[in-house]
Amino acid sequence: RVLLSLAITSRDLVVHSRSPVMLAPFVGLRRLLPPGRRPVVILETHGPPPGTAHGWVVRGADLVVVNSVFLKRTMEQVFRCPAERVVRAQLAAYSPIRPQDRGEARTELGLPASAPIVGYAGNLALDQSEFLLRTAVQLRERIPGVRLLVVGGDEDAVERMRQRAADLSVDGSVVLAGFVDPARVGSY
């Protein structure tokens, strides 16, 4: 509701999502608002949407960002999205992950040598953090000595997660690495 309210009242709104379902109301709203009041809609996708039911959302986006030539062609041919609105973004430089001895890696990271470790690497949106911490609560109850190792997130997201872990009394079971240079991810 808040975003839709902003879309109706704001002149400068950019809506970005990886979900066609989440963008659908904004694409629909664009049809109702005069050109100067329409939100800019950006769909980022790393795989084709399932089926073609969301084709109208893909075609209605101002920009579709994809990560492969195949996906760019799919958006243009299958979903009939104009080529000038589909942009292929180059992936980050490849950082090979070299195998590392488990004991050495754990020592380097300050992790117990024999503790079971569950790992997560990725973004730390609020709902993801909550899910991971609730999972840590369940894991701790079922697996003695388990650690949840979380790699990713900016400083603010990591600090919020650290505070929430303390609230849930799992701060001793959760290891928050924060952002890690891709060249070092192999240690994790």
Side-chain angles (χ1 to χ4, degrees):
R1 288 185 213 170
V2 172
L3 280 176
L4 286 174
S5 171
L6 274 173
I8 292 169
T9 59
S10 176
R11 290 190 177 272
D12 301 314
L13 180 67
V14 176
V15 181
H16 170 272
S17 179
R18 291 183 180 172
S19 168
V21 172
M22 297 298 290
L23 286 180
F26 298 99
V27 171
L29 186 62
R30 286 177 53 77
R31 295 177 180 175
L32 302 174
L33 294 174
R37 307 278 299 186
R38 294 177 182 161
V40 174
V41 177
I42 301 171
L43 171 64
E44 177 184 343
T45 183
H46 298 250
T52 55
H54 299 296
W56 68 276
V57 175
V58 173
R59 288 186 299 280
D62 293 291
L63 182 65
V64 179
V65 181
V66 298
N67 65 347
S68 71
V69 172
F70 168 77
L71 199 49
K72 180 172 175 29
R73 245 191 329 260
T74 299
M75 293 296 147
E76 293 168 1
Q77 295 171 1
V78 175
F79 290 93
R80 299 184 323 277
C81 188
E84 65 274 6
R85 291 202 325 243
V86 181
V87 176
R88 177 178 168 244
Q90 296 293 327
L91 295 174
Y94 175 69
S95 295
I97 296 176
R98 293 180 178 80
Q100 184 175 358
D101 177 76
R102 180 185 293 184
E104 289 175 15
R106 287 177 179 231
T107 300
E108 178 184 325
L109 300 174
L111 297 170
S114 61
I117 296 176
V118 175
Y120 169 82
N123 295 326
L124 283 183
L126 206 51
D127 57 340
Q128 290 166 315
S129 296
E130 185 66 20
F131 171 78
L132 289 168
L133 291 172
R134 294 285 178 181
T135 301
V137 170
Q138 297 294 316
L139 287 170
R140 192 184 64 186
E141 291 172 1
R142 295 184 173 120
I143 305 170
V146 71
R147 299 291 191 280
L148 173 63
L149 174 61
V150 180
V151 179
D154 62 25
E155 290 176 17
D156 292 337
V158 170
E159 185 54 35
R160 275 193 313 271
M161 193 169 185
R162 188 177 324 288
Q163 290 173 1
R164 183 68 177 135
D167 293 346
L168 295 171
S169 301
V170 292
D171 46 326
S173 301
V174 177
V175 179
L176 299 171
F179 174 80
V180 172
D181 185 298
R184 291 204 57 240
V185 169
S187 296
Y188 292 83

